[in-house]
Amino acid sequence: YDPWSQEAAVPLLTSGATKLEIPYQVANGLTLGVALANPSASQNASITEIIRDLNGNQLASRTFTLQALNHNSFLPTFPANISGGGVVEYDSNVNIYGLGIRSAPEGTGLAFTSLDAVLLQPASTETISHIADGGGWRSTIILVNTAIVPAVYTVNFWNDSGASYVPPLASGAVSGDRKSVV
């Protein structure tokens, strides 16, 4: 086990949107990289990046252009005094696709992680095909509420044979109420 040779699966966002959110956490030197793509053959994407804290407060913003049929990867423009977590919101005039890549400095014990861009959509069931637990490996599940009211959620775990699984620090199903972040 070498935490610095790990690789995370890069999620495939199968539909674009004019608003994407990517969760961030500023601690232990974590760095968030973002990759955005504009598949439009005819329109440039005018994109506004908005940094929000966990209470939905806007901390910073900037606007940039992503040319038609183009993509770019970059670090969000976080304010110098930022701490804690929240979301980075990307608003666009055309559908865009995106993902987040989070990494940490060597020696922190934290590994490379990929993060799905979150689409604003009604509540639904999502499936994560694989989590790692044990032998120095772990998985983190980050839930983001895109509504303006608290949301109730349930997380269930199953083993390879489809039976209910109880991972350490969880009770087989984790439920709760998550405050909106937008």
Side-chain angles (χ1 to χ4, degrees):
Y1 165 69
D2 176 1
W4 299 108
S5 66
Q6 293 181 42
E7 294 182 15
V10 174
L12 174 63
L13 185 60
T14 57
S15 61
T18 57
K19 179 180 250 183
L20 301 176
E21 294 180 347
I22 299 174
Y24 72 84
Q25 181 67 37
V26 179
N28 301 320
L30 290 172
T31 300
L32 174 66
V34 172
L36 296 177
N38 175 8
S40 173
S42 59
Q43 284 189 284
N44 292 339
S46 176
I47 300 171
T48 300
E49 173 186 83
I50 302 170
I51 311 292
R52 298 188 185 276
D53 65 16
L54 288 175
N55 294 317
N57 299 313
Q58 181 174 322
L59 305 177
S61 70
R62 70 178 177 122
T63 301
F64 58 95
T65 300
L66 186 56
Q67 301 296 318
L69 293 175
N70 212 327
H71 59 88
N72 195 7
S73 58
F74 52 89
L75 301 176
T77 308
F78 289 112
N81 61 346
I82 194 167
S83 64
V87 294
V88 184
E89 177 182 312
Y90 293 95
D91 298 324
S92 174
N93 60 314
V94 298
N95 280 350
I96 55 175
Y97 295 72
L99 63 93
I101 303 291
R102 185 174 66 189
S103 63
E106 189 169 349
T108 62
L110 301 171
F112 171 81
T113 307
S114 58
L115 303 165
D116 276 315
V118 178
L119 304 175
L120 288 178
Q121 60 189 18
S124 63
T125 299
E126 298 292 329
T127 302
I128 300 169
S129 61
H130 177 80
I131 63 168
D133 177 44
W137 298 89
R138 69 176 185 179
S139 294
T140 301
I141 300 170
I142 301 171
L143 303 175
V144 176
N145 179 7
T146 60
I148 59 172
V149 296
V152 176
Y153 63 88
T154 301
V155 179
N156 297 296
F157 299 92
W158 296 274
N159 66 15
D160 292 338
S161 60
S164 181
Y165 169 68
V166 181
L169 306 177
S171 60
V174 179
S175 297
D177 171 319
R178 177 72 177 152
K179 186 175 182 181
S180 172
V181 294
V182 293

